[in-house]
Amino acid sequence: MKTTHHLLIATLLASLSMAPVMAAGTHAGGHGESAIGQPGKAANVNRTITVDMSDKMRFTPAQLSVRQGETIRFVVKNLGKVKHEFSLGTEQELLEHYEVMKKFPDMEHDEPSKISLAPGGKGEVIWHFSKAGTVNFACLHPGHYDAGMKGQIKVAKK
């Protein structure tokens, strides 16, 4: 019993110590450029894409195309009756963050690549896609990702 109790405390402490790191910016180390680009500036927006989130655990659209070098304003709308999130990242970053969200479902985000919205809420993410490849997005509230609430952005070379 004592060993189980110590293991539980050690696991909890390890999880708590990881939460601020995971919530402090991109997993690549801060708010600068990551494998998926960097935060964009409103003055540099090339175009706006509206993304709807629903309680069917889907994004509309779920597949997007942008060009390397573009700065996109994502206008994100929560059409559902539960809280949803739009989170940009590599698949690995999203999966890592999802594990933390399972442990801390009420975690608040203050990152330029993420927005959590209450039912009926609307917000925006401005992102500069500096690298060609694939950028993923997902809702990382517990159960939503597993239910298929994810999508991809294909970033074409200049």
Side-chain angles (χ1 to χ4, degrees):
M1 178 78 169
K2 189 174 181 181
T3 304
T4 304
H5 182 71
H6 288 294
L7 181 60
L8 180 61
I9 290 172
T11 302
L12 180 60
L13 289 174
S15 296
L16 288 172
S17 68
M18 287 172 46
V21 173
M22 300 295 262
T26 63
H27 300 286
H31 291 286
E33 186 162 357
S34 76
I36 63 163
Q38 70 238 16
K41 294 181 176 75
N44 298 336
V45 168
N46 300 100
R47 62 187 167 118
T48 298
I49 298 174
T50 300
V51 179
D52 293 333
M53 302 182 291
S54 76
D55 292 346
K56 292 180 181 178
M57 302 303 155
R58 295 292 181 261
F59 288 99
T60 303
Q63 301 294 319
L64 301 166
S65 296
V66 302
R67 295 197 59 77
Q68 182 181 10
E70 274 192 299
T71 298
I72 304 295
R73 176 189 323 260
F74 293 98
V75 174
V76 185
K77 299 177 188 175
N78 182 352
L79 304 178
K81 292 183 167 59
V82 299
K83 194 172 183 180
H84 289 294
E85 165 178 293
F86 176 82
S87 182
L88 293 169
T90 64
E91 188 170 10
Q92 180 180 342
E93 287 171 338
L94 293 174
L95 288 171
E96 287 173 4
H97 194 79
Y98 186 47
E99 291 305 313
V100 175
M101 287 288 291
K102 286 180 188 177
K103 294 174 183 157
F104 305 100
D106 295 324
M107 177 189 298
E108 291 296 322
H109 297 97
D110 184 22
E111 298 172 64
S113 62
K114 296 174 178 24
I115 188 165
S116 288
L117 296 170
K122 178 179 171 182
E124 64 181 43
V125 170
I126 299 175
W127 199 256
H128 178 72
F129 294 90
S130 57
K131 299 177 181 184
T134 300
V135 174
N136 296 285
F137 59 95
C139 179
L140 301 177
H141 286 281
H144 296 201
Y145 184 85
D146 294 330
M149 197 164 183
K150 50 191 159 189
Q152 287 191 327
I153 303 166
K154 299 290 183 190
V155 184
K157 276 195 174 294
K158 282 186 185 180

